[in-house]
Amino acid sequence: MGKVRTMRFEASRADLIKPLQLVTGVIERRQTLPILANLLLKVSEDQLSLVGTDLEVELIGRIPLVSAEPGDITVPARKLMEICRELPEQATLAIKQEEQRLVIQSGRFRSTLSTLPASEFPTVDRAEISDEIEIASSSLKRLLDRTSFAMAHQDVRYFLNGLLLEIGDGHVRAVTTDGHRLALCELEYEGQPDKVHQVIVPRKGVQELQRLLGDASGNVGIALGSNHLCVEIGEFTFTTKLVDGRFPEYERVIPRDGDKVVLGDTQELRQALNRTAILSNEKFRGIRLSLMAGNLQLSANNPEQEEAEESVSVEYDGEALEMGFNVSYLIDVLSILDSDKVKITVQDANSSALLEEPESDDSIYVVMPMKL
């Protein structure tokens, strides 16, 4: 009888640590199935694949290998990651499968981890791909970073707990809303698909993508399926299920008829809002904005009869106006802008505010008013 080949490979800690951390990040700490706490290790002749999933999202990281015996097995993800993290930076790990155990050796350190069969490891269903595009990783990162903060959190309108990605008609656009505010960022895209695709990426999918794009460079490939989105980023393949639902007709809530335009210093206004917000009602976070020529007065108070006010110089020469807003929503927008100035457009006391950067038109933000 021939010798049974079992999985074996060697890899440096430097090669393993980043893929291990990113792939383990996808795995939920609280599990319904024991196998979901595990990582799938898959060795082919010249490559190690690390796979993590929570059934909603899946991440595959790949590392080139010099010498290896092919095979696959699953091991506890966090234990493997922590072992790797605690080893010296220059360490090399020799990893091999011995029956139902995975043996890890590095220098004088030796450990054995429990395993579960690779055959039990679940895969994320991938339906037919309907369209594929390629864009710069920095562009995708900008789309997500500029809009993700306005996603709803555990809203019963489940389609708001995610990000709308719209591709086609010469653009790629990201839109989020929680019903009280809206964020939109878009970039021009020449190689357009035949039709406009709209998909809703769930909250966790957006957050994991942002982590992956953190220090990515070059282009990424985005493949759209009927129930999933697949993104190729360097040595990683990220797949997320999509939210099955219809995103609101967001164009209808963008106020286009505001005639009162305020131009303010982004940093100065944000700091003034932060200070005034301290004494706003902790639950409702309401703040009053009183607008008059050349000046914006901010005021807040709370049930303890405490109050704060500050006036900020702005460029404005229209009639006086008083409005109420959730101060957190205004601060969120001002924190995301790159420009020194912010342009705020309103129509009247009951209209939503439109916030933009004066010299850039790729992002717009809408904040609904609040009765105070």
Side-chain angles (χ1 to χ4, degrees):
M1 277 177 70
K3 182 177 168 233
V4 178
R5 289 170 65 173
T6 56
M7 187 186 84
R8 179 191 62 76
F9 66 92
E10 277 192 17
S12 70
R13 177 193 181 274
D15 287 346
L16 267 175
I17 191 78
K18 183 190 168 191
L20 250 181
Q21 285 176 325
L22 285 167
V23 172
T24 303
V26 166
I27 295 167
E28 292 288 343
R29 286 188 181 273
R30 286 192 199 83
Q31 292 305 342
T32 44
L33 298 165
I35 192 103
L36 290 177
N38 280 16
L39 198 64
L40 173 64
L41 300 179
K42 224 173 177 175
V43 175
S44 61
E45 295 296 339
D46 57 354
Q47 179 174 274
L48 165 68
S49 297
L50 307 157
V51 189
T53 184
D54 69 349
L55 300 180
E56 289 295 312
V57 302
E58 176 191 86
L59 182 58
I60 305 171
R62 299 176 189 84
I63 301 163
L65 298 173
V66 178
S67 71
E69 290 279 353
D72 50 16
I73 197 75
T74 82
V75 293
R78 287 203 158 74
K79 287 174 186 167
L80 179 60
M81 184 191 74
E82 282 164 14
I83 287 170
C84 193
R85 200 168 56 199
E86 295 303 332
L87 286 169
E89 279 186 27
Q90 271 66 50
T92 296
L93 290 82
I95 297 178
K96 63 179 176 179
Q97 186 183 342
E98 283 184 5
E99 292 172 350
Q100 305 310 309
R101 292 273 179 255
L102 191 76
V103 179
I104 302 164
Q105 281 183 291
S106 180
R108 296 178 186 177
F109 173 79
R110 182 180 190 274
S111 68
T112 58
L113 287 177
S114 62
T115 66
L116 287 169
S119 56
E120 291 178 19
F121 195 79
T123 53
V124 172
D125 288 340
R126 290 187 181 89
E128 289 288 298
I129 298 292
S130 55
D131 247 312
E132 293 180 72
I133 68 161
E134 195 174 290
I135 63 171
S137 57
S138 56
S139 298
L140 181 57
K141 185 176 187 307
R142 181 177 172 84
L143 286 173
L144 303 183
D145 288 352
R146 292 205 135 213
T147 54
S148 59
F149 70 90
M151 290 186 288
H153 197 46
Q154 296 179 326
D155 197 297
V156 290
R157 298 163 295 178
Y158 57 94
F159 47 83
L160 297 184
N161 302 321
L163 175 143
L164 175 74
L165 202 57
E166 188 178 282
I167 298 171
D169 204 16
H171 68 254
V172 181
R173 185 180 286 171
V175 188
T176 56
T177 178
D178 61 6
H180 304 287
R181 55 181 170 170
L182 178 139
L184 181 153
C185 180
E186 73 171 27
L187 57 100
E188 288 180 12
Y189 180 74
E190 294 308 322
Q192 59 187 59
D194 300 335
K195 59 173 190 158
V196 176
H197 294 277
Q198 282 196 341
V199 297
I200 304 173
V201 184
R203 186 183 191 88
K204 179 166 180 183
V206 173
Q207 290 168 337
E208 290 302 330
L209 258 179
Q210 285 176 290
R211 279 195 333 132
L212 262 177
L213 290 162
D215 52 3
S217 57
N219 284 358
V220 300
I222 301 174
L224 299 166
S226 56
N227 61 1
H228 77 281
L229 177 87
C230 192
V231 186
E232 295 280 351
I233 305 174
E235 298 300 305
F236 294 92
T237 302
F238 174 79
T239 307
T240 175
K241 284 186 175 176
L242 296 171
V243 177
D244 183 18
R246 240 187 113 69
F247 202 77
E249 289 184 38
Y250 61 88
E251 289 279 7
R252 289 170 55 181
V253 301
I254 299 171
R256 301 287 188 190
D257 44 11
D259 53 357
K260 296 170 183 63
V261 181
V262 183
L263 208 59
D265 183 288
T266 309
Q267 204 70 337
E268 187 188 350
L269 187 53
R270 183 165 64 94
Q271 287 165 354
L273 285 167
N274 272 324
R275 285 189 289 270
T276 315
I278 296 165
L279 297 184
S280 66
N281 182 315
E282 283 178 19
K283 191 174 172 194
F284 301 111
R285 304 285 287 163
I287 191 163
R288 183 173 270 105
L289 272 61
S290 304
L291 192 56
M292 56 208 83
N295 190 45
L296 178 62
Q297 175 111 16
L298 314 174
S299 58
N301 55 37
N302 62 29
E304 288 80 48
Q305 310 297 311
E306 298 166 328
E307 51 188 50
E309 58 180 48
E310 182 164 351
S311 66
V312 180
S313 296
V314 292
E315 290 176 42
Y316 175 70
D317 55 10
E319 62 190 68
L321 186 65
E322 203 167 87
M323 305 159 287
F325 291 102
N326 179 316
V327 67
S328 301
Y329 295 165
L330 296 175
I331 291 169
D332 283 347
V333 174
L334 295 174
S335 302
I336 224 91
L337 300 181
D338 299 326
S339 63
D340 296 336
K341 296 280 184 188
V342 58
K343 180 171 132 189
I344 305 172
T345 309
V346 290
Q347 188 178 19
D348 55 44
N350 302 312
S351 70
S352 295
L354 183 69
L355 289 86
E356 301 165 279
E357 291 173 320
E359 68 280 358
S360 164
D361 59 359
D362 75 347
S363 309
I364 56 174
Y365 301 95
V366 180
V367 179
M368 284 176 69
M370 196 177 178
K371 290 266 190 290
L372 288 179

